Amino acid sequence: MHKRRKLLALGAAGASAMMVLTACSGGGGEETEGEREVTWVINSIPAAWASISSAGGSVYTIQTLSGVLPYTGQWQPDGTYEYNMDVLAEEPTLINDDLDEGPFQYSFTLADDAVWSDGEPMTGEDIRVSVMMSASPDAGYCTTCDSRGGTTADMVEEMEVDGKTITFTLKEGLADAEWMSQVDAHSTGGGFYPAHLAEENGWDVDDPDELGEYFTWLHETRPEWSGGPYMITDGDLENQVVKEPNPEWWGEAPQLDRIIMPFNTDESTFVNAINNGEIDGANPAQYSGDVMQELEGLPQVTLSVGEGNIWEHVDLNLENEWLEDTELRRAIFTAIDRDDIANRNFGAGYPEYELKNNHIFGNDSPHFTDVISDSGQGSGDTDAAIEILEEAGYELDGDTLMLDGEQVGPLRLRATDTQTRSTSLQLIQAHLAEIGIEAEIEVIDDLGGVLAEQDYDIIQFGWSGTPYFTTSPEQYWHSESGSNFGKLSNEEIDELVEAVGGASSQEEAAEYANEAASLVVDEAYVLPIMHEPNYFFVNDRVANIEDNLQSSYRATYNIGEWALAE
Amino acid sequence: MLVYTVRRVLGAIPVLFLASVLTFVLIDVSGDPLSDLRMQQPPPDPSVIELQEERLYLDRSMPERYWLWMTGIGGNGDIGLLQGEFGPSTQSATYDIGENIAERLGVTLRLVTAAMVFALGLAVLSGVISAMRQYSKLDYTLTFVGFLALAMPTFWFAGIMQQAGVGFNELVGSQVFATIGDGTYQAQGLDAWGRFTNALAYMTLPTIVLMLTSFAAWSRYQRTSMLEVLNSDYVRLARAKGLPNRVVIRRHALRTALIPLTTVVAVGMAGIIDGTVLTERVFQWRGLGEFFIAAVEANDSFALMAWLMLSGTAVIVANLIADLLYGVLDPRIRFE
């Protein structure tokens, strides 16, 4: 009897505690009555408060600063480019693009009512200082700024500031077909930064050492400033940031009272968290079929998936004794079945996938030309591959490919240990076995080192691309480029990729880029597979939100327009 | 005891030194800390890479880097363990390893302390009951639960607990349990009771996960130890003298049976800190476990060294505490 009373008391205490907890919820994501709040996950931890540097230059830092950094324009989800007419007074002006008439010149003029959150007007000086911080150390503006970009900023000879207007003059002989990108959403800094805060803190931005101090300060200090619809009011670089409307924002007023952005590194937690009302959505940088499948089953969630900006490709080491032969390389690429690789990796979650048929341009780009399909490369056509080999003097001895009585290979097939690449390597191994080539799979954990040391015969890895393209061909294929890891050397290609960088219009640059890409296919140097898909999911309580796969900002690209669904 | 303690502390120094050399070499050969930077699109200017190599002391040889890491002599003032500086981080120029460890230590200790207290309490209770009811249905049930807990992978159990939490919330129509985060930000502006319920909401699930493995192992130790004591002569004598069973168990048997557990628990405490790596990841607590994972992902050698040295020191200190407690609980043991 005594024991029973004790048990009953214990049970009652437990029940009371549960009732109290039930009544006084402590869980996250709850909003104060009447407040419009959205919790948007950032899928990793941003390393710094500014994205200009190599360490801070991640999509996570960019997304953390969404709604805070002003920028002059950006690519829209449908692939069109729009200037930011909240920030600009008028569309930027191309003053001169004819190098025979003088240096390449263009200018930006900021809107009259564009101000920072402390009321200070935005001026051309803000852009000038941002470009100085984005340039390489060798440009001489700053001694300690470790900019992650520099390509566009380094072209600049002179910046002339006249109040709201800044005029750029490029170095002699240089043209920039993508000049509008200087301080847009896709630039090194993800936009531009205030200059007046340097002066307020006692730094002279024209002193290279002091500009470096300002650069460090921007990276270390949580922005209390804003030039966009929201400003960061709380948070840190470890857990989350909280954004509230910028009271000085001159554009259309944002419709949310608060946006909380927790940094969540584990995608497997998303399903429970959105079910539990702790988050409203995310745009992860990685593809995860399992998570997508679970999200698809949630009635309150909208899920979308599309081509991301990282594209996978197979590269050959042209300095390998066997792979020096172009015909062997063509046969290898012909034997590889790209559709098999893409389908097995992404077919279940993203059956609408498309193979990538141009190294530089996406399939929906106005500059796109199919340079791959006619070559038969990536088709998995074993018979065609064997025919190429036989014509070149190779012969199959049973299951082994021979040349002059010697076995071809074995070749070392390498990639980092991701699920996608592991599957891909196994398939490539099987495709090559069909034409008598033995490939040994070797997984790596130091991609940069392996590429730099050319420690591979065949390798699969990814490049990230953007709608901007003029610097890519030279970087990928020029014989002097440090990123031409497999050592392609072709004078005609060198000339074409140099011409891409020097073109004064995008059309002209694209023409050269496509010509170069065709020659690269002839050389059978790089075989593009496809863009790795990215997914986005959002709770149906949030309105005016969509993924922008053209931009590092992803879904946060229009954060000022986010609202709660009626 | 003081002499013994000092001797043990001095003895730990060469152990830590050798451990540091070994781990430094292993980390150093495991990869290029700047590989991500070298792969950036578009590729950074060579001067940027040079700047980073200089900042991270990668332009020095490995022995020189170790010397710098240990002493700081010849460095830029941001390195030197003996000077209280852990070195620059690959994660960013502004990432302060020492500051991060200090902040995260509190987060991890909050989780570990709660898990330890509950694991220990339940382990003692379960062990004692199991031993007293040896071969009964209750004993078999507790044994089964213990082995089940031992066999359960942490990340899997954490996922199950999260789903259970969400299921419970749906059932009661309120967010009683949170599944991600440590609740620090949600506690802002709450009164004392609000902070308490907030902490409970965020801590319950990860605490259960973290305590599970320790509880399982410790309850088995406690059962064995208790069984041994219950069969000893002095317990039989106490019973023969007519002392009530409750007194025999509480005053005589339990105290002796706790001695071996003390050693196991003290050493296990260091193990729990290591065990937070998975739990913190799944529940998104920014503690030392998450610090470790971030350092591995970023190839952050100095941050990894800091974590490993902290972990190593914790093991040594825990062992020392175990030995000292052993002597306190069992007067037959002398420190010489």
Side-chain angles (χ1 to χ4, degrees):
Chain A
M1 189 70 179
H2 181 64
K3 269 185 190 168
R4 198 170 162 191
R5 244 198 343 260
K6 269 188 169 176
L7 273 174
L8 280 172
L10 198 66
S16 314
M18 201 52 80
M19 284 167 75
V20 165
L21 275 175
T22 309
C24 308
S25 163
E30 295 239 328
E31 60 201 68
T32 314
E33 203 178 332
E35 288 206 324
R36 296 160 298 178
E37 188 174 294
V38 163
T39 304
W40 191 258
V41 167
I42 292 177
N43 195 200
S44 190
I45 295 173
W49 288 112
S51 65
I52 319 172
S53 67
S54 50
S58 70
V59 295
Y60 314 112
T61 309
I62 294 271
Q63 288 167 22
T64 302
L65 294 171
S66 58
V68 172
L69 276 179
Y71 44 76
T72 54
Q74 67 177 328
W75 294 92
Q76 301 298 303
D78 63 1
T80 58
Y81 189 85
E82 270 185 24
Y83 289 110
N84 184 353
M85 298 315 291
D86 281 327
V87 167
L88 292 170
E90 59 193 47
E91 287 200 357
T93 313
L94 182 56
I95 300 167
N96 178 43
D97 64 348
D98 185 348
L99 297 185
D100 293 335
E101 286 187 8
F104 196 94
Q105 274 191 317
Y106 53 91
S107 74
F108 294 87
T109 301
L110 300 175
D112 281 339
D113 46 4
V115 291
W116 296 101
S117 53
D118 57 6
E120 283 290 317
M122 287 182 191
T123 68
E125 181 67 1
D126 298 320
I127 296 180
R128 185 179 79 94
V129 170
S130 301
V131 171
M132 284 160 65
M133 290 191 292
S134 303
S136 305
D138 288 347
Y141 298 123
C142 178
T143 41
T144 53
C145 302
D146 58 335
S147 162
R148 71 190 169 95
T151 314
T152 315
D154 288 356
M155 291 176 150
V156 175
E157 173 72 32
E158 191 182 351
M159 289 179 276
E160 192 183 333
V161 174
D162 179 13
K164 291 271 183 183
T165 301
I166 179 164
T167 303
F168 289 89
T169 303
L170 298 195
K171 289 173 183 166
E172 195 183 336
L174 292 185
D176 184 4
E178 292 165 347
W179 56 274
M180 77 291 283
S181 70
Q182 190 62 265
V183 280
D184 75 357
H186 316 276
S187 65
T188 307
F192 60 91
Y193 294 74
H196 67 279
L197 293 178
E199 195 182 343
E200 274 180 22
N201 283 287
W203 293 304
D204 175 4
V205 292
D206 289 313
D207 179 318
D209 288 334
E210 293 189 26
L211 184 62
E213 287 178 48
Y214 182 48
F215 181 90
T216 304
W217 182 84
L218 284 171
H219 281 75
E220 281 177 350
T221 315
R222 189 179 81 201
E224 288 179 359
W225 51 268
S226 170
Y230 286 97
M231 56 194 302
I232 295 172
T233 55
D234 198 1
D236 55 35
L237 284 176
E238 295 299 324
N239 296 282
Q240 64 178 8
V241 290
V242 178
K243 293 175 182 174
E244 291 178 2
N246 169 7
E248 294 293 327
W249 173 244
W250 62 96
E252 199 171 325
Q255 297 182 56
L256 297 175
D257 299 312
R258 190 172 299 110
I259 297 172
I260 299 169
M261 292 182 147
F263 308 133
N264 183 334
T265 52
D266 190 351
E267 288 161 27
S268 67
T269 64
F270 290 167
V271 177
N272 282 328
I274 200 163
N275 255 334
N276 206 26
E278 290 171 272
I279 63 171
D280 285 305
N283 42 239
Q286 305 293 324
Y287 175 86
S288 174
D290 293 343
V291 178
M292 284 164 55
Q293 206 173 1
E294 284 186 80
L295 288 166
E296 256 174 343
L298 302 181
Q300 80 278 23
V301 172
T302 299
L303 172 75
S304 74
V305 55
E307 275 187 6
N309 62 8
I310 293 180
W311 58 282
E312 291 289 313
H313 52 95
V314 179
D315 286 25
L316 301 180
N317 179 358
L318 272 48
E319 293 188 342
N320 170 281
E321 57 170 319
W322 297 106
L323 297 174
E324 281 175 354
D325 181 5
T326 313
E327 295 308 310
L328 177 63
R329 300 202 300 267
R330 284 182 187 148
I332 285 174
F333 277 178
T334 304
I336 292 175
D337 187 343
R338 294 188 301 161
D339 193 57
D340 190 20
I341 295 170
N343 190 32
R344 288 192 197 227
N345 274 308
F346 307 117
Y350 182 48
E352 304 86 9
Y353 69 83
E354 288 183 51
L355 298 176
K356 186 169 172 63
N357 285 326
N358 187 307
H359 308 71
I360 306 297
F361 302 109
N363 295 354
D364 55 355
S365 163
H367 307 304
F368 172 79
T369 305
D370 184 345
V371 295
I372 304 276
S373 297
D374 287 347
S375 72
Q377 292 181 17
S379 64
D381 188 340
T382 309
D383 293 338
I386 290 174
E387 202 178 314
I388 294 170
L389 291 168
E390 285 175 348
E391 279 176 20
Y394 292 84
E395 55 188 32
L396 270 173
D397 179 9
D399 290 337
T400 308
L401 186 69
M402 310 288 284
L403 179 67
D404 301 332
E406 199 179 341
Q407 182 190 344
V408 175
L411 299 175
R412 294 163 71 219
L413 182 55
R414 310 198 79 180
T416 49
D417 189 18
T418 67
Q419 194 180 341
T420 304
R421 289 179 189 156
S422 295
T423 306
S424 185
L425 289 196
Q426 287 170 31
L427 292 171
I428 292 172
Q429 187 182 44
H431 300 151
L432 296 187
E434 296 277 313
I435 58 169
I437 296 175
E438 186 187 341
E440 293 168 350
I441 293 175
E442 291 180 16
V443 173
I444 52 179
D445 59 2
D446 177 18
L447 180 64
V450 167
L451 288 171
E453 289 164 23
Q454 250 180 299
D455 190 14
Y456 63 92
D457 299 327
I458 306 174
I459 193 164
Q460 183 180 334
F461 64 104
W463 284 114
S464 59
T466 71
Y468 291 122
F469 65 91
T470 57
T471 56
S472 304
E474 189 164 358
Q475 175 196 351
Y476 297 159
W477 305 318
H478 196 285
S479 51
E480 300 293 319
S481 166
S483 306
N484 176 7
F485 302 109
K487 304 297 177 203
L488 172 71
S489 180
N490 180 312
E491 279 180 24
E492 207 178 339
I493 293 176
D494 282 355
E495 282 170 21
L496 283 167
V497 298
E498 283 168 17
V500 175
S504 57
S505 75
Q506 290 196 345
E507 288 69 27
E508 187 190 352
E511 206 172 306
Y512 292 133
N514 278 323
E515 277 184 53
S518 290
L519 291 179
V520 170
V521 174
D522 290 344
E523 289 274 8
Y525 175 50
V526 174
L527 178 65
I529 302 174
M530 66 172 289
H531 281 265
E532 184 165 313
N534 286 142
Y535 70 102
F536 149 91
F537 66 96
V538 63
N539 195 323
D540 288 348
R541 65 187 284 271
V542 187
N544 303 339
I545 186 167
E546 64 177 326
D547 203 0
N548 184 353
L549 289 157
Q550 314 284 344
S551 169
S552 296
Y553 279 98
R554 296 283 303 273
T556 68
Y557 83 102
N558 68 337
I559 195 168
E561 296 165 29
W562 289 7
L564 290 187
E566 294 298 325
Chain B
M1 192 194 284
L2 183 67
V3 175
Y4 173 79
T5 307
V6 170
R7 212 171 60 223
R8 285 286 301 271
V9 169
L10 289 176
I13 291 172
V15 175
L16 278 173
F17 173 72
L18 283 175
S20 73
V21 172
L22 193 66
T23 47
F24 196 93
V25 172
L26 287 174
I27 291 169
D28 201 87
V29 298
S30 68
D32 173 15
L34 294 181
S35 59
D36 285 348
L37 177 61
R38 294 185 216 278
M39 287 299 296
Q40 271 183 3
Q41 300 291 304
D45 193 90
S47 58
V48 170
I49 292 179
E50 276 170 32
L51 207 66
Q52 289 301 318
E53 283 176 340
E54 202 179 315
R55 182 178 76 79
L56 295 166
Y57 300 101
L58 293 169
D59 53 347
R60 321 274 184 109
S61 65
M62 190 204 291
E64 207 177 341
R65 265 203 311 284
Y66 180 81
W67 166 259
L68 277 169
W69 171 78
M70 180 61 86
T71 66
I73 298 168
N76 299 326
D78 57 355
I79 195 166
L81 192 64
L82 298 177
Q83 296 181 34
E85 293 289 346
F86 292 98
S89 163
T90 57
Q91 295 174 61
S92 85
T94 59
Y95 187 91
D96 189 318
I97 294 172
E99 206 174 277
N100 253 278
I101 284 185
E103 279 171 16
R104 286 158 178 266
L105 191 61
V107 175
T108 295
L109 282 180
R110 183 151 45 113
L111 195 57
V112 166
T113 308
M116 286 270 298
V117 168
F118 285 109
L120 188 58
L122 285 175
V124 171
L125 195 65
S126 156
V128 170
I129 291 173
S130 248
M132 288 174 61
R133 306 269 177 90
Q134 195 183 12
Y135 304 134
S136 67
K137 280 183 185 169
L138 188 60
D139 179 29
Y140 285 128
T141 307
L142 289 171
T143 301
F144 174 74
V145 170
F147 281 118
L148 191 70
L150 270 175
M152 202 122 56
T154 306
F155 67 92
W156 183 77
F157 183 60
I160 296 283
M161 285 311 296
Q162 281 181 323
Q163 281 184 4
V166 174
F168 181 86
N169 291 348
E170 281 173 358
L171 195 70
V172 300
S174 179
Q175 212 182 85
V176 178
F177 299 115
T179 63
I180 46 171
D182 66 6
T184 306
Y185 281 87
Q186 286 72 13
Q188 285 177 13
L190 296 175
D191 59 15
W193 176 247
R195 283 201 300 278
F196 172 70
T197 55
N198 181 68
L200 219 52
Y202 280 89
M203 283 188 69
T204 306
L205 300 179
T207 303
I208 292 173
V209 172
L210 200 55
M211 78 175 204
L212 194 77
T213 324
S214 305
F215 153 74
W218 294 347
S219 68
R220 303 312 300 159
Y221 275 108
Q222 184 61 22
R223 180 181 179 275
T224 311
S225 172
M226 196 69 187
L227 277 173
E228 203 178 314
V229 174
L230 286 176
N231 290 324
S232 63
D233 290 343
Y234 78 92
V235 170
R236 275 204 293 274
L237 178 65
R239 281 188 172 135
K241 285 166 88 176
L243 283 172
N245 194 40
R246 199 186 310 155
V247 175
V248 173
I249 298 296
R250 207 184 292 161
R251 291 201 188 151
H252 298 270
L254 184 58
R255 179 172 172 164
T256 314
L258 278 175
I259 294 173
L261 189 66
T262 309
T263 319
V264 177
V265 169
V267 176
M269 196 178 81
I272 286 194
I273 291 176
D274 293 347
T276 60
V277 172
L278 279 175
T279 311
E280 286 180 2
R281 177 74 166 195
V282 176
F283 288 96
Q284 294 292 298
W285 280 52
R286 302 276 174 247
L288 285 175
E290 225 284 335
F291 172 92
F292 174 75
I293 292 179
V296 170
E297 285 175 347
N299 232 329
D300 195 344
S301 45
F302 292 131
L304 278 173
M305 282 305 294
W307 191 90
L308 288 163
M309 292 310 290
L310 187 75
S311 190
T313 308
V315 170
I316 287 171
V317 170
N319 270 297
L320 178 61
I321 291 172
D323 288 347
L324 294 175
L325 280 177
Y326 203 72
V328 172
L329 286 170
D330 189 346
R332 292 169 297 177
I333 293 171
R334 290 174 185 278
F335 297 107
E336 286 175 357

